[in-house]
Amino acid sequence: MKLATLRNGQRDGRLVVVSDDARRCIDACTVAPTLLDAMERWSTAEAGLQELARTVNAPAALGGMPFDAPRCMAPLPRTWQWLDGSAFLNHGHLMERAFKVPPVADFETIPLMYQGAADDFLGPHDDVALPSDDDQIDFEGEFGVVLSETPMGVAAEEALQYVRLVVLINDWSLRAFGPREAKSGFGFLQAKPSTAFAPIAVTPNELGAAWQDGRVHLRLQTQRNGEWFGHPNGGAMHFHFGQLIAHAARTRKLSAGTIIGSGTVSNADAGVGSSCIAERRMVEALAEGAPHTPFLRFGERVRMVALDDQGHPAPFGVIDQSVVQRVVAG
């Protein structure tokens, strides 16, 4: 099942069920007006949403309408909690060097995770408005999961049963703030502006064999201004999503609608490129003595899409955004 949220002038948008070919959609208001409402009532809402999925995929598609991804907000325009891990050790080790911080104890046995802002997610084609392009603007491609209510203390091997949806994410970063905040011990704040999402959230079964062992075994392809930047595979996660969920839920329950991110998709093979600029710059510094890839400037464009092994797009759709200067009203 594929779900998306269309703009309707309201903060949480209008929930629709999307057809298998992503060409049509059907209003889900008879089941749930918003995706957050559906997540909080998943045990009763799921059957109705599945029935709408059968309807929109029927030949007549009664009640359907064309699906227009540029009209989409993030699948969850806002939610109760957004937690982002660092499950790809290759990326984590490179960022330690980039931020010039000492190695984290238990790095390979205890996941790193920060709590981000969940009140203002960006849609897949929204401009990314930021104060200054001197703040070292960077993109970070990753996968994420959306949870139903998850009990405190859930074990990693049981946690995957609470995954309801899988999403594609661009976790925008401002690297100029990162080193100081990393060293503060309090985590990221100014370094993490609003996060963007691909238009379609999918149930895990929609990914077929690409969803296994709590990992998304797809390539995440990123283009910068139309040029290839990387296509590392999400299957290289050291910590799978069950382990990330268990880590987050060790001392608290997780509300329905909680999103947990994988962290930047990264592979040890430098030939597959990177999902963020900071990682590429550190690879350049190690190989050539100094980085030369610049951070983003206003007017640049970033495109992300997940691909299977045959190069076919996965069902999330595309994130395609321009970076622009914030306009101060008044």
Side-chain angles (χ1 to χ4, degrees), residues 111-177:
L112 294 178
M113 188 172 288
Y114 80 90
Q115 186 164 6
D119 60 326
D120 186 32
F121 293 137
L122 298 175
H125 297 275
D126 290 346
D127 286 342
V128 183
L130 296 168
S132 172
D133 56 8
D134 290 331
D135 292 335
Q136 299 180 355
I137 302 168
D138 199 357
F139 48 83
E140 293 194 67
E142 53 187 272
F143 296 105
V145 294
V146 186
L147 308 179
S148 59
E149 185 168 309
T150 304
M152 178 170 60
V154 66
E157 57 270 20
E158 300 171 355
L160 291 174
Q161 68 181 291
Y162 298 99
V163 173
R164 296 293 174 257
L165 300 169
V166 185
V167 290
L168 174 62
I169 299 168
N170 186 350
D171 183 37
W172 289 94
S173 293
L174 300 175
R175 298 298 187 186
F177 300 107

Side-chain angles (χ1 to χ4, degrees), residues 191-268:
K192 291 295 183 179
S194 297
T195 301
F197 289 77
I200 301 173
V202 303
T203 49
N205 65 291
E206 291 288 340
L207 299 179
W211 175 254
Q212 56 178 302
D213 305 321
R215 298 171 173 88
V216 180
H217 293 260
L218 295 169
R219 290 181 289 162
L220 202 169
Q221 178 176 279
T222 301
Q223 293 177 316
R224 177 181 184 176
N225 301 321
E227 296 185 0
W228 176 88
F229 200 90
H231 61 256
N233 195 296
M237 283 176 75
H238 176 75
F239 299 105
H240 62 69
F241 276 111
Q243 293 169 295
L244 295 182
I245 296 165
H247 176 77
R250 182 175 179 182
T251 59
R252 65 173 89 173
K253 72 174 183 179
L254 305 178
S255 297
T258 293
I259 303 173
I260 293 186
S262 66
T264 305
V265 176
S266 178
N267 294 173

Side-chain angles (χ1 to χ4, degrees), residues 180-196:
R180 184 192 64 78
E181 293 186 335
K183 293 174 184 176
S184 72
F186 266 51
F188 297 122
L189 180 67
Q190 294 175 340
K192 291 295 183 179
S194 297
T195 301

